[in-house]
Amino acid sequence: MAFDVSCFFWVVLFSAGCKVITSLDQMCIEKEANKTYNCENLGLSEIPDTLPNTTEFLEFSFNFLPTIHNGTFSRLMNLTFLDLTRCQINWIHEDTFQSHHQLNTLVLTGNPLIFMAETSLNGPKSLKHLFLIQTGISNLEFIPVHNLENLESLYLGSNHISSIKFPKDFPARNLKVLDFQNNAIHYLSREDMRSLEQATNLSLNFNGNDVKGIELGAFGSIVFQSLNFGGTLNLSVIFNGLQNSTTQSLWLGTFEDIDDEDISSATLKGLCEMSVESLNLQKHHFSDFSSTTFQCFTQIQELDLTATHLAGLPSGIKGLNLLKKLVLSVNHFDQLCQISAANFPSLTHLYVRGNVKKLHLGVGCLEKLGNLQTLDLSHNDIEASDCCNLQLRNLSHLQTLNLSHNELLGLQSQAFKECPRLELLDLAFTRLHINAPQSPFQNLHFLQVLNLTYCFLDTSNQHLLAGLPDLRHLNLKGNHFQDGTIMKTNLLQTVGSLEILILSSCGLLSIDQQAFHGLGKMSHVDLSHNSLTCDSIASVSHFKGIYLNLAANSINIIPPHLLPILSQQSTINFSHNPLDCTCSNIHFLTWYKENLHKLEGSEETTCANPPSLRGVKLSDVKLSCGITAIGVFFLTVFLLLFTILLFFAVKNLLRCKYRHI
């Protein structure tokens, strides 16, 4: 009973006063002090007084500003970016932005504009990006042309525009992007295009307009960076209208819900009359697919045939010596050899991902591609018991290989001997069976990035990563370690050049203090989504200035001796941990508030204990962990009683002593 009374006394004596600091609600979220603010969807009808005059980047969408004038934003003279998406703006008056000389980007998307004054955009000296998407515009005369000399991109998508004829004095000299997607433009004349003749390397987007006619020569006097006619039902119209035109990229893909005409070899002959380097024909059907289909592709350097329902490419295709990049994703190949790789001797980038059928790699299907640098075979349900030397024969220049999201791959020692120059290898979500005691990667001396996410590896094999002297980025997410522990001696000891290490979701319970001591170049360590406690923080004690992710672990109390380790890091994430917000953790809580500039995910870094503070952000908690007034009173009473008891005890002791003399 005495013990219980004593405990009660000390609890009362040192009871902590816990409360949440309720700061003044500024409504807008500050992303960068005095510069960047998010005021989205707050029902505001004016600029809050809490926004500093120094604001440069303002997201103000989904508020209510039916009319804006020269006083609406006049206080924020340093604005460079202003997003007013869906603010129900109808009227933009004269000189609205006259004091915003640095305004670079103005977003007016989704506002039902009725009126824009001729001088409404006067003021900004370098307005480069203007968004007028879904604003109800039907005529380009609506757009004020004053002060648009430096405009580089103009977005006019999802309106009711039927003609692209700009006002006579529209300044197009610096225009690089002009977006008309999803309008009602069905015919393009030479007169329409004349106002754009000053532009060079223009990217022009007519996606979703179903252009039905182009006047011959309309595109002949301008050199384009890209032309997009996606969703056009009859591609013959496009090829006929683009005769003698020059564009780096031509996008002619379609969409699943469009019932367009099949592409014939005769249709594609239009390519012979124009200059194109990159061509996209995704999701089209071919009516007569043969080697003659490609007879006008001789200048093509990039070709995208994604989802074009191909089961194979014909052999004997000639004239594709310039083709560098080929995309054959989401098709119906049974085996990789069916792409007839020998047709493309200069190919450097090949993408065959997401094949509709299970793809078999075959043997030597790509051996004629001696110049191949990038190969993406992901999401193909590939399965091979002995990978990958036979399958990747003669790919000695390969630098990037993606085999992620496939089935079981068996890897022997030096499994990638045919690709000694690999710099990036992605095997994520592909179950690996290592059939040799030595590393399957040991000859990859140039490898810098290795992704082994959820590969079900035997992490007890200390030689698994041997022979990778230049490895800088290693992702082991989802691979479990024996007994949930990374021991002092482990598979990481052989990769001393690592800079980025990801060990999230590895079921870790603890990490030995010496586990990472061979890694002296680290800048990023991700240990999130494990079950680590504060004891494992000591394993990063020798790192300085790193990004450390400890989110979603089992950390509750961090003792004072670990705080210097945290202080020497650049960025730390403690979110989604069961953190203790009592006086037992007062040293960490104090450190946390003093180092908010180092902390990531502070909105999700909340208390788990005590119950009264559960869910409260650590930055909003204030503890009083000294002796309270009540504690002082009880301490005084206790000392008085103790003194009295001691006095009588001594008196009785002396009385008994002298009684026996």
Side-chain angles (χ1 to χ4, degrees):
M1 183 65 184
F3 175 78
D4 294 338
V5 172
S6 176
C7 285
F8 171 77
F9 171 77
W10 288 109
V11 167
V12 173
L13 182 63
F14 293 101
S15 58
C18 304
K19 67 176 181 179
V20 178
I21 296 177
T22 56
S23 60
L24 179 64
D25 183 11
Q26 296 183 350
M27 300 180 71
C28 299
I29 299 173
E30 182 179 81
K31 293 185 174 181
E32 184 180 357
N34 298 320
K35 288 187 177 182
T36 304
Y37 293 86
N38 185 328
C39 303
E40 293 180 347
N41 201 25
L42 295 177
L44 300 174
S45 57
E46 61 182 10
I47 301 301
D49 293 336
T50 52
L51 281 181
N53 295 342
T54 55
T55 301
E56 297 179 8
F57 193 105
L58 178 59
E59 296 171 316
F60 202 78
S61 58
F62 296 94
N63 285 297
F64 184 65
L65 294 173
T67 300
I68 57 177
H69 49 79
N70 59 8
T72 307
F73 308 101
S74 58
R75 185 170 58 83
L76 308 179
M77 299 176 62
N78 293 335
L79 281 177
T80 60
F81 177 96
L82 179 59
D83 186 351
L84 299 173
T85 297
R86 303 194 188 284
C87 285
Q88 303 180 50
I89 299 171
N90 300 132
W91 297 78
I92 304 179
H93 288 281
E94 291 83 358
D95 303 322
T96 295
F97 303 103
Q98 64 175 354
S99 58
H100 302 90
H101 303 304
Q102 301 176 53
L103 189 62
N104 176 282
T105 302
L106 177 60
V107 183
L108 295 169
T109 297
N111 289 290
L113 297 179
I114 297 174
F115 173 75
M116 287 184 74
E118 279 295 319
T119 61
S120 60
L121 298 178
N122 280 9
K125 296 180 179 179
S126 58
L127 186 63
K128 294 183 178 180
H129 311 289
L130 179 59
F131 292 77
L132 293 169
I133 301 167
Q134 288 186 342
T135 50
I137 295 175
S138 58
N139 192 320
L140 297 181
E141 297 280 350
F142 181 85
I143 304 172
V145 299
H146 292 284
N147 202 39
L148 296 182
E149 290 80 8
N150 296 308
L151 198 66
E152 294 182 2
S153 59
L154 177 59
Y155 296 86
L156 296 163
S158 300
N159 282 297
H160 310 292
I161 300 168
S162 57
S163 170
I164 70 164
K165 185 178 180 181
F166 279 96
K168 185 177 181 181
D169 53 349
F170 180 79
R173 180 170 51 87
N174 293 311
L175 205 59
K176 299 300 179 186
V177 176
L178 183 54
D179 191 334
F180 286 108
Q181 65 176 316
N182 297 321
N183 274 282
I185 300 167
H186 301 307
Y187 184 77
L188 297 168
S189 68
R190 298 179 68 173
E191 185 179 358
D192 291 341
M193 298 298 298
R194 190 168 291 122
S195 58
L196 300 176
E197 288 180 350
Q198 300 176 29
T200 56
N201 294 320
L202 179 66
S203 293
L204 189 54
N205 188 352
F206 293 111
N207 189 28
N209 279 277
D210 188 22
V211 176
K212 301 180 184 298
I214 301 176
E215 185 178 357
L216 190 63
F219 287 79
S221 58
I222 307 174
V223 176
F224 293 93
Q225 177 66 27
S226 67
L227 290 172
N228 187 332
F229 290 95
T232 301
L233 298 181
N234 186 357
L235 291 187
S236 296
V237 170
I238 306 301
F239 286 119
N240 291 336
L242 294 183
Q243 289 185 32
N244 301 318
S245 65
T246 300
T247 180
Q248 195 276 329
S249 173
L250 179 60
W251 206 95
L252 298 175
T254 188
F255 309 100
E256 294 179 356
D257 58 346
I258 293 180
D259 186 19
D260 55 355
E261 297 181 11
D262 290 356
I263 298 178
S264 66
S265 298
T267 299
L268 293 173
K269 286 183 179 179
L271 285 171
C272 289
E273 305 299 325
M274 57 186 302
S275 176
V276 179
E277 294 183 10
S278 175
L279 178 64
N280 187 309
L281 295 170
Q282 71 174 36
K283 295 191 176 181
H284 278 289
H285 286 80
F286 291 90
S287 59
D288 54 345
F289 199 71
S290 65
S291 58
T292 59
T293 302
F294 300 92
Q295 61 182 346
C296 290
F297 285 54
T298 54
Q299 301 300 315
I300 300 294
Q301 297 182 31
E302 299 182 5
L303 177 61
D304 192 334
L305 297 174
T306 297
T308 46
H309 316 280
L310 299 176
L313 293 179
S315 58
I317 300 175
K318 297 180 180 179
L320 295 182
N321 295 331
L322 296 180
L323 191 66
K324 303 291 184 182
K325 178 181 177 180
L326 177 62
V327 183
L328 295 170
S329 302
V330 200
N331 279 294
H332 299 256
F333 305 114
D334 288 313
Q335 192 185 70
L336 194 56
C337 288
Q338 291 175 327
I339 72 169
S340 301
N343 291 321
F344 320 109
S346 302
L347 209 62
T348 58
H349 294 71
L350 175 62
Y351 301 84
V352 186
R353 61 195 311 269
N355 197 61
V356 176
K357 298 181 178 180
K358 186 183 183 74
L359 184 67
H360 298 278
L361 290 178
V363 176
C365 296
L366 306 178
E367 61 183 347
K368 299 296 184 180
L369 303 180
N371 296 311
L372 199 64
Q373 298 175 13
T374 298
L375 176 60
D376 189 344
L377 297 172
S378 60
H379 296 269
N380 287 322
D381 296 328
I382 294 172
E383 187 172 354
S385 59
D386 186 4
C387 188
C388 296
N389 286 322
L390 291 175
Q391 296 87 344
L392 304 180
R393 182 189 300 162
N394 198 37
L395 300 185
S396 59
H397 288 86
L398 197 65
Q399 297 175 6
T400 300
L401 175 61
N402 190 345
L403 287 168
S404 64
H405 296 272
N406 283 299
E407 298 297 326
L408 179 66
L409 294 182
L411 301 181
Q412 304 289 346
S413 178
Q414 297 191 39
F416 301 93
K417 188 176 181 179
E418 292 287 328
C419 315
R421 299 187 185 181
L422 274 181
E423 296 179 5
L424 186 152
L425 176 58
D426 191 347
L427 294 164
F429 297 95
T430 298
R431 183 183 289 268
L432 300 180
H433 180 63
I434 312 300
N435 298 321
Q438 300 299 318
S439 170
F441 315 112
Q442 60 184 323
N443 67 302
L444 302 179
H445 303 304
F446 300 99
L447 195 69
Q448 297 182 22
V449 180
L450 178 58
N451 190 349
L452 297 172
T453 300
Y454 286 101
C455 286
F456 301 94
L457 297 170
D458 177 13
T459 55
S460 64
N461 181 359
Q462 297 180 22
H463 303 289
L464 181 64
L465 302 174
L468 299 174
D470 203 28
L471 190 66
R472 300 175 189 177
H473 184 138
L474 175 62
N475 192 337
L476 289 172
K477 178 179 180 179
N479 293 284
H480 285 229
F481 288 74
Q482 187 173 3
D483 299 325
T485 301
I486 301 182
M487 306 298 292
K488 177 180 179 180
T489 305
N490 57 72
L491 76 170
L492 300 174
Q493 304 300 314
T494 60
V495 284
S497 59
L498 269 188
E499 297 175 5
I500 299 174
L501 175 61
I502 300 175
L503 291 168
S504 59
S505 303
C506 289
L508 294 175
L509 300 173
S510 65
I511 302 175
D512 187 275
Q513 293 188 18
Q514 305 294 318
F516 300 143
H517 260 239
L519 308 177
K521 300 181 179 180
M522 296 299 298
S523 62
H524 181 116
V525 178
D526 187 347
L527 299 170
S528 62
H529 296 277
N530 286 293
S531 299
L532 298 171
T533 63
C534 64
D535 295 335
S536 296
I537 295 177
S539 65
V540 299
S541 61
H542 63 293
F543 295 147
K544 293 183 179 180
I546 70 167
Y547 169 89
L548 178 60
N549 191 348
L550 292 167
N553 274 283
S554 300
I555 299 170
N556 49 17
I557 295 177
I558 299 179
H561 73 274
L562 294 177
L563 297 181
I565 299 174
L566 301 178
S567 295
Q568 65 191 23
Q569 312 312 336
S570 63
T571 306
I572 309 172
N573 192 330
F574 281 112
S575 62
H576 303 291
N577 274 286
L579 293 167
D580 191 294
C581 292
T582 67
C583 287
S584 300
N585 207 19
I586 186 62
H587 295 287
F588 171 69
L589 295 174
T590 302
W591 176 91
Y592 186 92
K593 292 182 181 181
E594 293 173 349
N595 291 272
L596 286 174
H597 62 284
K598 291 177 176 285
L599 297 164
E600 179 185 70
S602 56
E603 292 293 319
E604 293 79 36
T605 306
T606 59
C607 302
N609 186 50
S612 61
L613 291 178
R614 185 170 295 145
V616 175
K617 293 188 297 183
L618 260 66
S619 56
D620 289 342
V621 174
K622 183 177 181 180
L623 296 182
S624 298
C625 295
I627 302 176
T628 64
I630 296 176
V632 171
F633 171 77
F634 274 97
L635 179 61
T636 304
V637 173
F638 173 77
L639 291 175
L640 181 61
L641 291 174
F642 181 76
T643 303
I644 294 171
L645 289 173
L646 182 62
F647 172 77
F648 282 105
V650 171
K651 181 179 180 181
N652 289 334
L653 180 63
L654 292 174
R655 181 181 299 172
C656 291
K657 179 179 179 181
Y658 287 107
R659 183 181 297 170
H660 291 89
I661 294 177

